[in-house]
Amino acid sequence: MLEFIGNFLWLAIAGAASIGGFVTMKKFVRGRLRFVDGVHRRGVPLVAGIAGWGVGLLAAILPFVTPMTAVLFGIGIGTGVAAGRREIKRLPSP
């Protein structure tokens, strides 16, 4: 029973980290980095995802935050940057 609660808590934290990273980065790229040309380079989502993984790995010293949570956070960051980039291309130019 206690193992089930621990697994559920890990799943909730990992899901919140990945979804929160995705939504936050998508909004940040679309709002703040709209006019920055460097965000349109090919490797930017990968670099952002690796940086997010590194920050998440620092948080892995906390209980219920595992290295896998850091990986999911990095994936959320990278996909959020990529989605924000795609939305910028679809917006009408000023």
Side-chain angles (χ1 to χ4, degrees), residues 60-79:
I61 61 172
L62 299 172
F64 296 111
V65 179
T66 63
M68 188 61 186
T69 306
V71 169
L72 292 174
F73 181 66
I75 290 171
I77 294 280
T79 55

Side-chain angles (χ1 to χ4, degrees), residues 45-62:
L46 180 65
V47 171
I50 291 172
W53 169 74
V55 170
L57 203 57
L58 292 175
I61 61 172
L62 299 172

Side-chain angles (χ1 to χ4, degrees), residues 4-59:
F4 173 75
I5 293 172
N7 288 339
F8 183 74
L9 187 58
W10 175 82
L11 185 64
I13 291 172
S18 63
I19 292 171
F22 175 82
V23 170
T24 303
M25 286 310 295
K26 183 177 173 184
K27 186 177 178 182
F28 182 77
V29 168
R30 186 173 181 220
R32 297 274 182 163
L33 300 180
R34 176 184 289 180
F35 302 111
V36 177
D37 291 332
V39 79
H40 297 289
R41 291 187 182 167
R42 181 173 271 191
V44 170
L46 180 65
V47 171
I50 291 172
W53 169 74
V55 170
L57 203 57
L58 292 175

